[in-house]
Amino acid sequence: MAQEYVDLVSNLPQDILQRINSFLPLKEAVRTSLLSTQWRSLWSPTTVTHFAAGGGTTAAVNAVEDSLEAVNVFLGSYESPEMRRLCFRFPEGDVTIVATKGVDKELHLNFSHSRKEDKRYYHMKMELGNITPINITNLSTLRTLHLRSVSSVTEDVASSLLTNCQLLQSLKIEKCEGLKRIGIEKNESLRNLLILDCVDIENVFVSATGLRSFVYKGLLTQIHMKNASNLVDAELDLEGAFGNGDFDCEEVLSLLSSLKEVETLATSGWLLEWLCSAGVIFGRLEFQFYKLKQLRWVDSLMDNAKRDSLACFLNSCPILEKLFITIDPSRSSVTCPYFHQHWHEPHLWMDFPTVKSNVLQLKYLKLVKFVGFTIDEEDRLLSSLVDLLLVKTIVLKSITVTSHQNISWGVVKVPDKQPTRRWWNCRKGTVITLPRNFSFALLEDR
């Protein structure tokens, strides 16, 4: 007879569950809500505060200060495990703010609106020397902050909150409709910055000497990075260009130059294509990614122009060790415009042998992974890329190809003095030999 399972932990008294929950990091603590009804009840907001509505500047200032003070008190309640989540109403625009705190000075603020209003644009800024004159001891020691769905109604709360978080190390700003500009100035404490899916943003300015990681996901816009010499990781997950204005090649190159000291970089393939179509030759630029060890390239498809622009970009990565190339059909396709003027000279019209001959030796490249490619005898783009990498590398140890069906293959050289096109089966999979100056095999990894 099978022994009946008894969930002893979920049947503990609620105050003990709250105490257990209070010791968990926020990400893991939230997952406990899936365990049972008892755990889910721990995440019901414990306090609902309604600020008095009023008119005029004074009332608005008071509402901001009241909001900051409420959050400050909430952060100071770590000795009260039942205070994990706080919900309060902002007087204007029927906005509900849900605050969730983590164990290690972490705070998530989610701004929700009970009614749909006309979009109004606003800015968000974080700068030293503009502190709200209230007792904000707990805010000043906050380490991690996540702002989601801030609107023009609550922009003063968000900006005041940022300004008063003097020791903030990690900031995530997500899905803030109407947000046009983010300004972070004269900051020394911030280490990680994520800006995700803010569809209206037109300008990002960051001056943070201690910044180590920068992630931007959305439309390409004006991004100005200053004093970013300590930046190690950067990700530009670009879904297209913002607005209908002309592509500003110089501005994009200025952004890339500010990222030149990163060790890992992720970027969208179409951005490199656009730059090369505008005549940029990466090997001739005044800067190189001379510390870059890992490059992630992602796009909705691979074509000749994207392949050639990637090959061109590799000339600016002299110590690259790892290369990841991903095709994701779920991403939107971005069509390259026609450029009337060129930065250096047009060069994507070259045949691939010429493109390949212009690629410098990749002396340190050890690992290459292709994801989302079709393993096909007729896949000339994949074949030509593998061909290039085998020719230009010296210490390459591994090339793997993963198909859309999630089947992985390893790529190895096949010694053959007179290569011809032929197929055969072997114990590990199918070997494909192509008519190149050398041969290589794709081995299915089962």
Side-chain angles (χ1 to χ4, degrees):
M1 181 176 179
Q3 186 175 2
E4 184 179 355
Y5 172 75
V6 179
D7 186 357
L8 297 177
V9 176
S10 293
N11 290 327
L12 290 172
Q14 189 173 48
D15 58 339
I16 295 180
L17 294 179
Q18 288 170 339
R19 176 63 65 176
I20 294 173
N21 190 275
S22 69
F23 287 110
L24 295 175
L26 185 56
K27 191 173 183 179
E28 283 71 28
V30 170
R31 291 175 181 170
T32 63
S33 64
L34 302 176
L35 297 177
S36 67
T37 304
Q38 289 90 331
W39 284 99
R40 192 177 306 115
S41 66
L42 301 181
W43 292 97
S44 300
T46 57
T47 304
V48 179
T49 304
H50 295 270
F51 297 123
T57 304
T58 302
V61 171
N62 290 339
V64 170
E65 293 186 1
D66 287 345
S67 299
L68 293 183
E69 194 162 8
V71 172
N72 183 66
V73 171
F74 174 60
L75 288 173
S77 63
Y78 283 98
E79 295 303 319
S80 303
E82 70 278 4
M83 289 284 287
R84 197 72 192 252
R85 174 173 285 192
L86 174 71
C87 177
F88 57 91
R89 295 287 298 275
F90 198 74
E92 185 181 350
D94 287 335
V95 179
T96 300
I97 304 175
V98 178
T100 308
K101 68 181 178 184
V103 175
D104 191 20
K105 302 295 184 181
E106 181 178 359
L107 176 66
H108 288 210
L109 290 179
N110 190 358
F111 299 75
S112 60
H113 303 75
S114 59
R115 67 172 185 265
K116 186 70 174 179
E117 295 185 344
D118 293 337
K119 183 187 297 184
R120 290 187 292 171
Y121 297 106
Y122 64 99
H123 299 168
M124 194 182 296
K125 61 183 178 180
M126 178 181 184
E127 58 183 336
L128 298 178
N130 189 26
I131 301 174
T132 303
I134 60 174
N135 182 13
I136 43 80
T137 305
N138 297 311
L139 280 178
S140 64
T141 60
L142 196 66
R143 294 292 188 270
T144 301
L145 178 62
H146 180 183
L147 298 175
R148 182 184 176 95
S149 301
V150 178
S151 69
S152 59
V153 174
T154 51
E155 62 171 303
D156 290 335
V157 174
S159 291
S160 297
L161 184 65
L162 288 176
T163 298
N164 283 280
C165 295
Q166 298 294 293
L167 300 179
L168 194 65
Q169 295 182 354
S170 181
L171 173 62
K172 183 177 181 179
I173 301 173
E174 182 179 14
K175 295 185 182 299
C176 294
E177 188 174 344
L179 178 61
K180 295 195 75 171
R181 184 181 187 276
I182 297 175
I184 299 175
E185 303 182 21
K186 302 177 183 178
N187 187 286
E188 298 179 356
S189 63
L190 196 64
R191 298 292 182 268
N192 306 297
L193 175 61
L194 297 88
I195 302 172
L196 309 177
D197 300 318
C198 298
V199 296
D200 298 303
I201 199 160
E202 294 182 358
N203 186 282
V204 176
F205 178 86
V206 180
S207 176
T209 56
L211 194 65
R212 304 279 292 174
S213 175
F214 174 68
V215 176
Y216 177 84
K217 180 178 183 295
L219 297 175
L220 174 64
T221 188
Q222 296 179 3
I223 303 177
H224 304 281
M225 307 286 292
K226 286 193 174 183
N227 303 314
S229 59
N230 289 316
L231 196 62
V232 176
D233 306 313
E235 179 177 346
L236 301 175
D237 187 357
L238 305 173
E239 300 169 349
F242 185 87
N244 298 318
D246 293 334
F247 178 70
D248 193 330
C249 187
E250 185 171 355
E251 191 170 270
V252 175
L253 289 177
S254 177
L255 168 61
L256 293 180
S257 178
S258 68
L259 304 177
K260 64 185 178 183
E261 298 190 54
V262 299
E263 295 181 12
T264 65
L265 174 66
T267 187
S268 300
W270 68 263
L271 182 66
L272 304 184
E273 178 193 1
W274 283 31
L275 288 169
C276 286
S277 297
V280 172
I281 301 177
F282 286 101
R284 296 186 188 177
L285 295 176
E286 296 179 355
F287 68 90
Q288 286 190 328
F289 293 90
Y290 62 93
K291 293 183 181 180
L292 189 65
K293 296 180 180 181
Q294 178 176 299
L295 173 64
R296 291 185 177 273
W297 181 104
V298 62
D299 209 294
S300 61
L301 55 88
M302 176 67 77
D303 56 23
N304 290 337
K306 289 183 172 61
R307 176 199 61 188
D308 296 353
S309 59
L310 172 59
C312 179
F313 184 75
L314 291 176
N315 283 336
S316 64
C317 313
I319 69 165
L320 189 67
E321 296 179 1
K322 298 179 180 180
L323 174 61
F324 301 89
I325 304 171
T326 300
I327 299 299
D328 182 1
S330 67
R331 300 173 67 91
S332 299
S333 178
V334 182
T335 304
C336 185
Y338 176 77
F339 293 96
H340 300 280
Q341 297 179 339
H342 294 91
W343 184 264
H344 289 129
E345 59 189 51
H347 59 283
L348 288 188
W349 51 266
M350 297 178 181
D351 57 28
F352 188 69
T354 304
V355 172
K356 185 171 72 173
S357 68
N358 289 334
V359 177
L360 302 177
Q361 285 289 323
L362 302 169
K363 298 179 181 179
Y364 302 94
L365 189 60
K366 300 176 183 178
L367 174 69
V368 179
K369 289 187 177 182
F370 294 89
V371 179
F373 284 77
T374 302
I375 309 300
D376 192 318
E377 183 186 15
E378 301 302 325
D379 192 341
R380 295 297 182 183
L381 289 169
L382 174 61
S383 301
S384 59
L385 275 170
V386 173
D387 189 355
L388 180 150
L389 294 168
L390 290 175
V391 169
K392 296 296 182 178
T393 53
I394 299 174
V395 295
L396 186 63
K397 295 180 179 180
S398 172
I399 301 181
T400 59
V401 183
T402 302
S403 68
H404 294 298
Q405 293 76 29
N406 203 30
I407 300 175
S408 296
W409 302 62
V411 178
V412 297
K413 289 183 179 180
V414 176
D416 192 345
K417 294 181 180 180
Q418 294 181 339
T420 58
R421 183 183 304 279
R422 58 181 178 269
W423 298 65
W424 70 90
N425 292 325
C426 66
R427 181 173 58 85
K428 293 184 179 180
T430 302
V431 178
I432 306 172
T433 304
L434 300 175
R436 305 290 179 189
N437 294 330
F438 54 86
S439 301
F440 60 91
L442 298 175
L443 303 179
E444 187 172 4
D445 184 14
R446 293 188 182 277

